[in-house]
Amino acid sequence: SVTSIHTALDALGDLMRENNLKADDIASVDAGLSHMTYVHCAWEYKAQGVTAAQMNLFYGLAVIALDGMAFVDQYREDRLKDPRILDFITRVTARVDPELEGMGAAFRHAARVAITTRDGRSFKREILNRRGSPENPLNPEDIEYKFRNVVSGCVPKANIDKFVKLAATLVADVGLTLMNGAGPAQAEVKTKVVSYKHGETECRGFLAWDDAVQGTRPGVLLVHEWWGLNDYARRRAEQLAALGYV
């Protein structure tokens, strides 16, 4: 599913797990969003293909309520017109939350979710930063859970277990190396504005690199969001530079 709806999906999932709720227990779901998320993700759901389902807030909330997750299996072609999903979507409303919108671009992925049960109970949850962001990082268990569910349809379980074990070994080895002082030199991130042309159009980019690293190194091309080249995009470039990329 698309990044912008992850906070809303997590909020609903958290509330259902904490209160032992099933999809049939829920009478209504209200999602308060930023204007950006509302415009790009809260349009009326129609079964128009996998990509449309991945982008759609209503579909995502429905599969969270029914399956407890939103991974590959939830976006199969045969699920897109599932009557249970379509029924749950009728119980979901979405709106722009003025307070979240007033917090600015840094909180464009924030969400406030309120659910009302069929027996009259109400629960609310606010999540300001999506999981996997610097402000709300994933823990090792989250990463393993996501990996297992993403590849389960194409990789045998025995091989998945081997990959997880190998990754854990590599992480431990890197950690030991850094503890022993054999890691890379202290990052000295440098930045500059780069001017270039696209046809006759003058453009400006942003370049970040670690001046403490010598020789060639891998490059990452960052494509900013529709907000343009803002502080968020520049900060991400600097973080990548500190990891050894240009």
Side-chain angles (χ1 to χ4, degrees):
S1 56
V2 68
T3 299
S4 299
I5 66 174
H6 286 181
T7 50
L9 270 57
D10 281 344
L12 177 61
D14 289 347
L15 289 172
M16 292 184 67
R17 284 188 294 273
E18 292 169 7
N19 298 283
N20 195 29
L21 298 174
K22 304 298 182 184
D24 289 341
D25 297 325
I26 296 175
S28 65
V29 177
D30 175 73
L33 314 164
S34 71
H35 180 264
M36 184 276 289
T37 298
Y38 180 81
V39 168
H40 289 278
C41 304
W43 31 269
E44 181 184 0
Y45 175 72
K46 295 180 181 179
Q48 297 172 317
V50 171
T51 301
Q54 291 172 322
M55 292 286 296
N56 189 265
L57 171 77
F58 300 104
Y59 186 94
L61 289 171
V63 296
I64 287 292
L66 292 164
D67 294 5
M69 61 177 67
F71 287 114
V72 178
D73 283 348
Q74 284 67 47
Y75 292 94
R76 298 193 316 264
E77 288 282 354
D78 63 315
R79 294 296 303 278
L80 303 185
K81 295 182 180 180
D82 185 330
R84 297 183 68 212
I85 292 175
L86 299 180
D87 173 70
F88 192 88
I89 285 173
T90 65
R91 296 178 245 164
V92 180
T93 57
R95 58 187 172 79
V96 176
D97 186 299
E99 291 184 3
L100 293 182
E101 179 64 17
M103 295 169 71
F107 295 96
R108 62 196 178 282
H109 296 143
R112 289 171 171 166
V113 171
I115 61 178
T116 302
T117 62
R118 295 189 189 278
D119 60 7
R121 292 175 292 161
S122 297
F123 304 98
K124 296 180 180 180
R125 176 62 49 85
E126 173 187 89
I127 299 181
L128 297 180
N129 299 291
R130 62 178 178 80
R131 278 196 298 165
S133 65
E135 300 81 8
N136 186 12
L138 295 172
N139 60 44
E141 293 76 18
D142 290 332
I143 295 172
E144 180 179 339
Y145 177 78
K146 181 173 183 178
F147 172 73
R148 288 183 179 277
N149 280 281
V150 168
V151 303
S152 61
C154 58
V155 179
K157 183 179 183 305
N159 288 349
I160 295 175
D161 293 338
K162 290 179 182 178
F163 293 151
V164 170
K165 185 177 181 179
L166 176 60
T169 301
L170 291 173
V171 170
D173 288 346
V174 171
L176 183 60
T177 298
L178 293 176
M179 287 177 62
N180 290 334
Q186 182 67 33
E188 297 181 14
V189 175
K190 305 291 185 181
T191 64
K192 69 176 182 180
V193 174
V194 179
S195 297
Y196 62 98
K197 273 191 171 184
H198 178 70
E200 296 301 316
T201 303
E202 292 280 351
C203 303
R204 288 190 300 169
F206 182 77
L207 182 68
W209 73 98
D210 181 359
D211 204 42
V213 177
Q214 301 300 314
T216 59
R217 67 209 77 168
V220 176
L221 177 63
L222 294 180
V223 181
H224 58 68
E225 299 170 289
W226 66 283
W227 305 94
L229 181 54
N230 56 15
D231 289 341
Y232 175 83
R234 285 186 282 266
R235 188 170 75 250
R236 284 287 189 257
E238 292 170 359
Q239 290 171 339
L240 285 168
L243 294 174
Y245 299 92
V246 175

